[in-house]
Amino acid sequence: MSNSSEEASPKPRLGFLLRNARLLSKMKKVDKEEIEKFVNSIERFNRCVVPDFEETGGPMEEGMIYLMFNSGNGMMPIDSVFRLFWVNSPQLRFSFLDSFFISTKFTSGRWEKKFSKAIFQTSKHKFHQEVHVEEFEMIFDGEITTGYSMYFVDRKNNISGHLKYDPLEDGVITYFNGKMALTPSIAQKAYDIFAIKVTGEIEVQGKEIEIKDGRGIVEHSLGIFSGFNIHCWRWLNLQFPEGALHLFHHPITMGKEGIIEAGEGAALMEGKWYHFLRDEFKIEEIEYVHDETINTEIPVKWRVVGEPFDFIVKKKAHLSWGGNIGPTNEYIANYVLEADGKWKGKETKGSGTMEYLFHV
């Protein structure tokens, strides 16, 4: 098994500092005005921008793979969400694994582990991630044009499976139109494939389930991360019979300079692609409950509105925890959700997931 430690943290190699000296210097100098100019320069696209960096590599890589399914028949509506999150960086001698499972039917759970070296086997030619540690095994392989295969065993949450991920045409948002985002703590390119049909077999806590029409998300980013200037974020994915709606609201804090509103979204509904800029949608929190795990209030009901949609979204299940993603403590809640409302004036119902990160 790979060496690991809960105290493991990124330790930059000299080569990393030399190769990225110019970029690191730019990151330190960037100010609020530059970031606002960049955010305002993002244009609305009529069709999705296909990412040109799907291969695995870069000074640091981050990824997330979601499986969303119905525990009764492996189809819609979603009542269970499994997610794997990782950071892998040979140049920083650091890796991080985070897995959670949220369900209205099964036992929910979460675990994380930090490693003092890169633990993933990767590829420069396609999206290939492979890891074998005591808690978790995974082989994820493929490309957008052909789809992905995934084998995994999560021994902590007692879930395993063999799955096929088939992205739908145009079901991807490449953030910032494929440009690199630059802040004092982040230099990255990122995309989310949010419209994916998943099929295959899984075993959840002793129950075998055939996934006939599950849904998935694949998120991937390459770049440099040295702590976050994120004030909060809402990473929302809703699945409907007509398609999928994906919104990411992430205000950036610049300390004494204030907060910059940022975000993007996309939808693939009834076979048509939609792109939403930061001022074209709202995720309004309208009801809260006290969460004993993190001893603070968390939202459990929202109004998600924009052109051409208006939904009331409610919590079905959630997990919450405190963490340290950057230089300060953050709090995170992940949800299974149900949505009820209108798309282009037509009534529809859906379900999905959201990750909510915030400070208190």
Side-chain angles (χ1 to χ4, degrees):
M1 177 181 170
S2 301
N3 293 330
S4 66
S5 168
E6 293 304 315
E7 303 303 318
S9 61
K11 295 179 177 62
R13 295 180 185 274
L14 179 59
F16 166 82
L17 297 174
L18 293 174
R19 279 192 295 271
N20 297 284
R22 190 173 179 182
L23 181 57
L24 291 168
S25 176
K26 286 184 178 180
M27 290 168 67
K28 286 187 176 182
K29 294 177 182 178
V30 70
D31 59 17
K32 182 181 178 183
E33 185 177 341
E34 288 180 87
I35 297 173
E36 286 185 322
K37 184 178 179 181
F38 174 78
V39 171
N40 289 332
S41 71
I42 299 168
E43 301 174 348
R44 184 186 299 104
F45 275 33
N46 293 323
R47 290 184 65 86
C48 71
V49 179
V50 177
D52 60 0
F53 53 99
E54 195 179 8
E55 71 281 356
T56 49
M60 182 174 280
E61 178 187 19
E62 176 194 278
M64 283 190 283
I65 302 173
Y66 274 74
L67 167 64
M68 300 177 286
F69 64 96
N70 184 287
S71 59
N73 57 20
M75 302 176 70
M76 293 282 282
I78 295 158
D79 66 22
S80 301
V81 174
F82 172 77
R83 186 208 71 174
L84 171 70
F85 168 77
W86 72 84
V87 172
N88 193 60
S89 181
Q91 295 182 29
L92 296 178
R93 293 174 283 187
F94 178 76
S95 291
F96 177 85
L97 265 178
D98 175 328
S99 166
F100 71 68
F101 179 58
I102 310 172
S103 178
T104 63
K105 305 295 183 182
F106 296 102
T107 301
S108 299
R110 174 190 174 270
W111 62 275
E112 67 177 49
K113 196 159 189 177
K114 299 173 183 177
F115 299 84
S116 57
K117 65 178 182 179
I119 61 170
F120 280 87
Q121 299 176 42
T122 61
S123 169
K124 294 182 179 180
H125 307 293
K126 57 183 177 178
F127 197 172
H128 178 92
Q129 287 287 359
E130 183 174 341
V131 66
H132 304 274
V133 294
E134 183 179 323
E135 298 84 357
F136 190 86
E137 292 184 47
M138 179 189 73
I139 301 174
F140 186 83
D141 186 87
E143 302 174 25
I144 289 178
T145 54
T146 58
Y148 308 93
S149 62
M150 180 178 176
Y151 156 80
F152 76 99
V153 179
D154 184 335
R155 297 185 178 92
K156 291 282 190 176
N157 286 313
N158 194 12
I159 305 170
S160 61
H162 288 83
L163 300 167
K164 183 71 166 63
Y165 282 63
D166 289 309
L168 302 184
E169 186 178 359
D170 287 343
V172 58
I173 176 168
T174 303
Y175 291 106
F176 314 115
N177 296 345
K179 301 174 185 176
M180 176 174 283
L182 198 66
T183 78
S185 63
I186 297 175
Q188 74 171 133
K189 298 172 69 176
Y191 65 86
D192 291 336
I193 310 175
F194 63 88
I196 296 177
K197 293 292 184 73
V198 184
T199 55
E201 297 82 32
I202 61 173
E203 183 174 324
V204 183
Q205 297 165 13
K207 180 179 179 180
E208 295 182 359
I209 302 172
E210 181 182 359
I211 304 297
K212 303 173 185 176
D213 182 21
R215 305 299 169 94
I217 317 172
V218 173
E219 188 268 358
H220 191 206
S221 63
L222 296 175
I224 295 172
F225 311 82
S226 58
F228 284 73
N229 282 74
I230 299 296
H231 174 67
C232 69
W233 74 51
R234 300 172 185 85
W235 194 76
L236 173 68
N237 186 283
L238 297 175
Q239 302 282 330
F240 300 92
E242 299 87 352
L245 172 65
H246 193 71
L247 302 173
F248 185 26
H249 175 239
H250 55 105
I252 303 168
T253 180
M254 293 296 291
K256 293 180 180 179
E257 291 187 274
I259 294 172
I260 303 164
E261 290 293 327
E264 270 188 272
L268 184 61
M269 295 287 279
E270 299 174 328
K272 184 177 179 182
W273 158 264
Y274 298 82
H275 187 201
F276 308 108
L277 304 182
R278 62 171 180 165
D279 58 350
E280 296 177 337
F281 66 89
K282 291 182 180 179
I283 303 174
E284 301 176 3
E285 298 166 2
I286 56 178
E287 191 174 307
Y288 300 81
V289 299
H290 186 78
D291 186 287
E292 296 292 340
T293 303
I294 53 178
N295 195 29
T296 190
E297 300 291 300
I298 64 165
V300 293
K301 185 177 180 180
W302 304 259
R303 185 184 180 199
V304 180
V305 61
E307 177 60 43
F309 56 88
D310 191 344
F311 294 106
I312 295 296
V313 178
K314 298 179 182 179
K315 183 201 86 160
K316 293 172 69 176
H318 87 279
L319 278 176
S320 60
W321 63 90
N324 190 298
I325 295 180
T328 59
N329 287 328
E330 287 102 9
Y331 298 88
I332 302 171
N334 271 275
Y335 300 88
V336 179
L337 303 169
E338 61 183 3
D340 193 341
K342 295 182 178 180
W343 176 269
K344 285 193 169 183
K346 178 184 173 184
E347 297 281 349
T348 188
K349 294 179 183 290
S351 52
T353 186
M354 178 168 67
E355 177 162 292
Y356 172 51
L357 179 147
F358 61 103
H359 305 262
V360 295

